[in-house]
Amino acid sequence: MKAINALYEAHKIAFSPFVFETSYALLELGILESIYEHRDGITIENIAKETGVSEYGVRVLVEMAAAADILECIDEDTYMITKVGHFLLRDEMTRVNLYFTHDVCYEGLFYLKESIQKGKPEGLRVFGDWKTVYEGLSQLPDQVKKSWFEFDHHYSDNSFEDALEVIFRLKPKQIFDIGGNTGKWAIASTRHDAHVRVKMFDLPGQIKVAKENIGSMPDIASRVEFQEIDILDPQSEIPGGADVYWMSQFLDCFSEEEIEQILLKIRKNIGPNARVFIMETFIDNQRFPAATHSLVATSLYFTVIANGNSKMYTSSAMKYIVNKAGFECIAEHDLHEDSFHTILEIIPKL
Amino acid sequence: MKAINALYEAHKIAFSPFVFETSYALLELGILESIYEHRDGITIENIAKETGVSEYGVRVLVEMAAAADILECIDEDTYMITKVGHFLLRDEMTRVNLYFTHDVCYEGLFYLKESIQKGKPEGLRVFGDWKTVYEGLSQLPDQVKKSWFEFDHHYSDNSFEDALEVIFRLKPKQIFDIGGNTGKWAIASTRHDAHVRVKMFDLPGQIKVAKENIGSMPDIASRVEFQEIDILDPQSEIPGGADVYWMSQFLDCFSEEEIEQILLKIRKNIGPNARVFIMETFIDNQRFPAATHSLVATSLYFTVIANGNSKMYTSSAMKYIVNKAGFECIAEHDLHEDSFHTILEIIPKL
């Protein structure tokens, strides 16, 4: 990169919150949509008429957006949308990420430095006085919850079909679902196989929600059991007795040391023929740079909002911990359906 | 731009607050400096040792920075600085802008949409319950004030020398300095010419500060007068009697309608041979795209923090208002020393 371009890039970073909030306002106020509808360009005066926003308001936003290549100024007061603007308006992944950033993370990110210094999610203070976001999730404002779940689902909803294929090649009779959350996997896997039994392990709050979800499903309810566990409590145990131990987007909620302790807990009682499957979105297994970007940013969400000490890992970092905890990785399954997820298949080392 | 690149750019905007606060934290925690000192790369472990930041903290920051081209990952755990990172660390303009964005604007920008909807600086609420930032400036936290003044000075300190050359070609005997603020121009011009008299017009608070500054300067104090004025009060008047009416970075603090009213006030009493000089940083008169970017972002600072209805203008927009208020522009002086400023020289139309 030439020095003059690098300087411009540095400068754009220095003003990037202006561009970010401009993009959000352009979307929310219907201005980007209005400009998009006029492919040959539209004047500031007409945008103002169409959207009900003041001419002053339209003008400061479109001038910023033009400097950021979201719009193009084709004549003194006439603007049209660029390809970047088009994707901001129409690409689902971009939209989900932008609203997650605005609603869930923006204000808290101001405390990133403090979060790192204290090892605590100092940004969470903008929502409430909790130790982790998991304690407060149900009490977050509606719009925040909406953007949180849309983000969460966008990166997981397409992974289960592929994952079921991988797991059921082994024809498991008993699955332990560690960190089963609201019961999505328990439901998917018991519906996928009419004989399999699933035991779900999680904190009391999550177990309560999962029980409510699954209790009303007569086709599977009798094959799903629940066990409350605080996985970080040194006294807690994960029993033996499963053919498959399943952890989906669970270990990224913990620090490296905590992941090692969780794996050691599984290893303590695991049977000799059982297997452990770890499904994650690994930073280094992404096909698109946009996805990598999204994952490393998600790490900072964990730092500043979620719990202060977890992150999205590389597959090599995870395999290093796996090894340290006495397991070996015998297969690495890349899911192609969604192109984000990888499943590590691991067994206890002899 | 290819679609795939445009999608990536849209995606980067969606996560840009993460990159921004990462940059701020990398600077504040000394991590960028540490990496800069090791030109061939340094490991996460060693950065942590040098800076006293946890390895986890260093890791989440450098992974985000690498995705944003601020750092380059040259080996699994080893990073070096890129040209973009170098400018973030060493370029004074970038640093001034980044701290202004973080300290003064970041939190308030969250309310950009509301500011535009209400026509009020809704972001100012993060500092206090004032109508405009000017009311609260002296009560802002120290770090906020520091970043505000550094930003202000960075874009004005180099302009006066050139400006004095332009004005004193006319050998004025009496200058009216409208919006004289802390008295910087009054001091500079009376020191530049041992005979010129300056009368400064501003709000009582600013006049008080300027009087204190200038009262202790025996070489010029007797040639500087002060007049309190609320320029937006329809009853207020600007008298005749000056050879030169001077407004430096003053009109950008007002809306287009207000600027017209201010110019009409001057026109009412101005003598036939007097001239008005308007010094501004116009969006369309910048040599570097980084400077244009900076100015349009500054408009949003006015929207969300300062007063809700002003902005940085294009020279054509300003000349349009000048004309509407009964003046004609007879010269446009680009200042070369600082490369940011332009002086419009205007006279009453007959």
Side-chain angles (χ1 to χ4, degrees), chain A residues 1 11 13-14 18 20-22 28 56 63 76 83 97 101 106 109-110 113 290 300 303 310-311 316, chain B residues 1 11 14 20-22 28 56 63 76 83 97 101-102 106 109 113 290 297 300 303 308 310-311 316:
Chain A
M1 195 185 291
H11 193 83
I13 290 172
F18 289 86
F20 178 77
E21 287 298 332
T22 293
E28 284 279 298
Y56 165 78
E63 284 178 353
E76 196 164 336
K83 282 185 189 167
N97 290 339
T101 302
Y106 184 91
L109 275 168
F110 189 72
K113 184 188 79 170
L300 295 174
T303 308
S310 67
K311 69 188 288 292
S316 55
Chain B
M1 195 183 291
H11 193 84
F20 177 77
E21 286 298 331
T22 292
E28 284 279 299
Y56 164 78
E63 284 177 354
E76 196 164 334
K83 283 186 189 168
N97 289 339
T101 303
H102 180 83
Y106 185 91
L109 275 168
K113 184 187 78 171
L300 295 175
T303 308
S310 68
K311 70 188 287 293
S316 56

Side-chain angles (χ1 to χ4, degrees), chain A residues 76-340:
Chain A
E76 196 164 336
D77 274 344
T78 307
Y79 288 81
M80 56 186 276
I81 199 163
T82 65
K83 282 185 189 167
V84 177
H86 173 261
F87 284 118
L88 274 175
L89 184 65
R90 287 287 181 258
D91 180 60
E92 177 66 10
M93 180 165 150
T94 304
R95 198 193 64 78
V96 164
N97 290 339
L98 190 140
Y99 278 83
F100 175 73
T101 302
H102 180 83
D103 293 332
V104 181
C105 303
Y106 184 91
E107 291 178 283
L109 275 168
F110 189 72
Y111 303 98
L112 175 60
K113 184 188 79 170
E114 286 82 349
S115 300
I116 283 173
Q117 286 174 315
K118 297 187 185 168
K120 289 178 187 163
E122 292 290 316
L124 190 53
R125 70 172 77 164
V126 304
F127 298 124
D129 184 25
W130 306 299
K131 275 192 189 162
T132 72
V133 78
Y134 310 109
E135 285 178 30
L137 202 49
S138 61
Q139 300 162 61
L140 292 175
D142 285 346
Q143 180 59 35
V144 179
K145 253 191 287 194
K146 181 169 178 289
S147 295
W148 194 92
F149 281 109
E150 282 185 0
F151 182 78
D152 190 50
H153 292 169
H154 186 78
Y155 290 98
S156 65
D157 276 0
N158 296 320
S159 61
F160 277 7
E161 205 138 325
D162 269 4
L164 289 165
E165 293 294 325
V166 171
I167 305 308
F168 280 91
R169 270 179 224 151
L170 298 178
K171 303 189 179 24
K173 299 204 179 335
Q174 177 70 58
I175 297 174
F176 284 179
D177 181 8
I178 321 283
N181 209 351
T182 57
K184 279 195 163 191
W185 173 263
I187 296 166
S189 53
T190 48
R191 289 216 160 126
H192 180 81
D193 181 306
H195 301 290
V196 75
R197 301 184 61 85
V198 174
K199 188 168 185 174
M200 192 190 121
F201 297 77
D202 214 322
L203 290 164
Q206 274 77 351
I207 293 286
K208 184 167 171 284
V209 175
K211 270 186 179 167
E212 281 165 16
N213 288 342
I214 293 166
S216 61
M217 299 174 174
D219 55 330
I220 59 164
S222 67
R223 288 183 288 127
V224 181
E225 294 172 278
F226 302 92
Q227 183 168 330
E228 292 181 1
I229 186 171
D230 175 358
I231 201 103
L232 294 180
D233 176 355
Q235 305 304 321
S236 69
E237 285 222 5
I238 297 171
D243 310 306
V244 159
Y245 291 76
W246 170 250
M247 289 178 282
S248 169
Q249 292 190 265
F250 177 61
L251 293 179
D252 57 62
C253 302
F254 300 95
S255 73
E256 296 191 24
E257 292 72 19
E258 289 168 346
I259 294 171
E260 189 182 345
Q261 291 309 311
I262 293 168
L263 291 174
L264 286 171
K265 252 175 222 207
I266 294 174
R267 199 178 188 292
K268 189 179 171 196
N269 298 317
I270 194 171
N273 298 314
R275 293 188 188 189
V276 181
F277 292 89
I278 298 168
M279 183 157 86
E280 287 291 335
T281 48
F282 292 119
I283 296 172
D284 52 348
N285 277 14
Q286 301 304 314
R287 270 199 277 170
F288 305 107
T292 308
H293 203 93
S294 173
L295 291 175
V296 294
T298 306
S299 287
L300 295 174
Y301 150 75
F302 282 115
T303 308
V304 85
I305 301 282
N307 59 16
N309 68 353
S310 67
K311 69 188 288 292
M312 306 311 285
Y313 293 95
T314 58
S315 65
S316 55
M318 188 60 80
K319 282 186 273 189
Y320 174 79
I321 308 170
V322 158
N323 252 289
K324 222 172 145 198
F327 286 91
E328 70 175 304
C329 182
I330 57 168
E332 189 167 345
H333 309 273
D334 290 330
L335 304 196
H336 293 296
E337 192 88 7
D338 72 348
S339 80
F340 299 127

Side-chain angles (χ1 to χ4, degrees), chain B residues 134 176-180 199-204 206-207 227-239 245-247 250-255 257-267 269 276 307:
Chain B
Y134 310 110
F176 283 179
D177 181 9
I178 321 283
K199 187 168 186 174
M200 192 189 121
F201 297 76
D202 214 322
L203 290 165
Q206 274 76 351
I207 293 287
Q227 183 166 332
E228 293 182 3
I229 186 171
D230 175 0
I231 201 102
L232 294 179
D233 176 357
Q235 307 303 322
S236 69
E237 287 222 5
I238 296 171
Y245 291 75
W246 170 249
M247 290 177 281
F250 177 61
L251 292 178
D252 56 62
C253 301
F254 301 94
S255 72
E257 293 72 19
E258 289 168 347
I259 294 172
E260 189 181 346
Q261 291 310 313
I262 292 168
L263 291 173
L264 286 170
K265 250 175 225 208
I266 293 174
R267 198 179 188 293
N269 298 317
V276 181
N307 58 15

Side-chain angles (χ1 to χ4, degrees), chain B residues 309-335:
Chain B
N309 69 353
S310 68
K311 70 188 287 293
M312 305 312 286
Y313 293 95
T314 58
S315 64
S316 56
M318 187 60 79
K319 282 185 273 188
Y320 175 79
I321 309 170
V322 158
N323 250 291
K324 224 172 144 197
F327 286 92
E328 70 174 303
C329 183
I330 57 167
E332 189 168 346
H333 309 272
D334 291 330
L335 304 197

Side-chain angles (χ1 to χ4, degrees), chain B residues 174-246:
Chain B
Q174 177 71 57
I175 298 174
F176 283 179
D177 181 9
I178 321 283
N181 208 353
T182 56
K184 279 195 164 193
W185 173 263
I187 295 166
S189 53
T190 48
R191 289 216 160 127
H192 181 81
D193 182 305
H195 301 290
V196 74
R197 302 185 61 86
V198 174
K199 187 168 186 174
M200 192 189 121
F201 297 76
D202 214 322
L203 290 165
Q206 274 76 351
I207 293 287
K208 185 169 171 283
V209 174
K211 270 187 180 168
E212 282 165 16
N213 288 341
I214 293 167
S216 60
M217 299 176 175
D219 54 328
I220 60 167
S222 66
R223 287 182 288 129
V224 182
E225 292 172 282
F226 303 92
Q227 183 166 332
E228 293 182 3
I229 186 171
D230 175 0
I231 201 102
L232 294 179
D233 176 357
Q235 307 303 322
S236 69
E237 287 222 5
I238 296 171
D243 310 304
V244 158
Y245 291 75
W246 170 249

